[in-house]
């Protein structure tokens, strides 16, 4: 398994997930044992390219100055349009 590097942003306040997706980002969250969940947004195009080749990999996520090693816990998909709707990362201990 390889390490996939992904840079994410804090989720914009006051925007619902549909508005975030419309602006080219994928809403999501990062959570793990002993930490508060963080709401994030990921560049949809970048995520799609990385996900196609690295579905079961460990993801090295950069959020500002913080770095997390995580796995994809859940990925929600609209099966009619094949559009990603939401991604959840679980931090590895």
């Amino acid at each position: 398994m390889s390490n996939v590097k992904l840079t994410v942003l804090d989720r914009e306040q006051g925007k619902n997930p549909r508005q975030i997706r419309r602006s080219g980002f994928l809403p999501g969250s990062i959570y793990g044992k002993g930490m508060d969940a963080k709401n994030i947004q990921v560049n949809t195009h970048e995520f799609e390219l990385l996900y196609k080749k690295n579905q079961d990999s460990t993801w090295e996520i950069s959020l500002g100055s913080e770095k997390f090693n995580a796995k994809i816990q859940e990925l929600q998909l609209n099966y009619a349009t094949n559009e990603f709707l939401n991604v959840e990362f679980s931090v590895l201990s």
Side-chain angles (χ1 to χ4, degrees):
M1 287 198 297
S2 62
N3 246 6
V4 181
K5 296 182 189 237
L6 182 67
T7 302
V8 300
L9 305 169
D10 279 318
R11 190 180 299 179
E12 291 183 43
Q13 296 297 319
K15 283 194 171 183
N16 65 38
R18 185 175 293 154
Q19 291 170 321
I20 292 170
R21 284 191 291 274
R22 206 175 306 134
S23 65
F25 290 94
L26 176 65
S29 59
I30 301 174
Y31 54 84
K33 188 174 182 178
M35 68 176 274
D36 292 333
K38 299 180 184 295
N39 292 323
I40 59 168
Q41 60 186 29
V42 184
N43 181 294
T44 303
H45 182 70
E46 180 183 354
F47 179 79
E48 286 175 353
L49 292 175
L50 291 171
Y51 181 75
K52 285 181 184 178
K53 297 179 183 174
N54 306 292
Q55 295 177 6
D56 296 323
S57 297
T58 301
W59 294 71
E60 185 179 305
I61 299 170
S62 299
L63 175 62
S65 62
E66 297 179 286
K67 291 197 184 303
F68 304 97
N69 285 326
K71 289 282 222 184
I72 295 177
Q73 184 68 30
E74 183 177 353
L75 180 62
Q76 295 176 356
L77 183 68
N78 180 335
Y79 291 102
T81 62
N82 284 332
E83 176 188 15
F84 292 122
L85 299 176
N86 190 60
V87 63
E88 293 182 8
F89 292 98
S90 176
V91 174
L92 303 173
S93 299

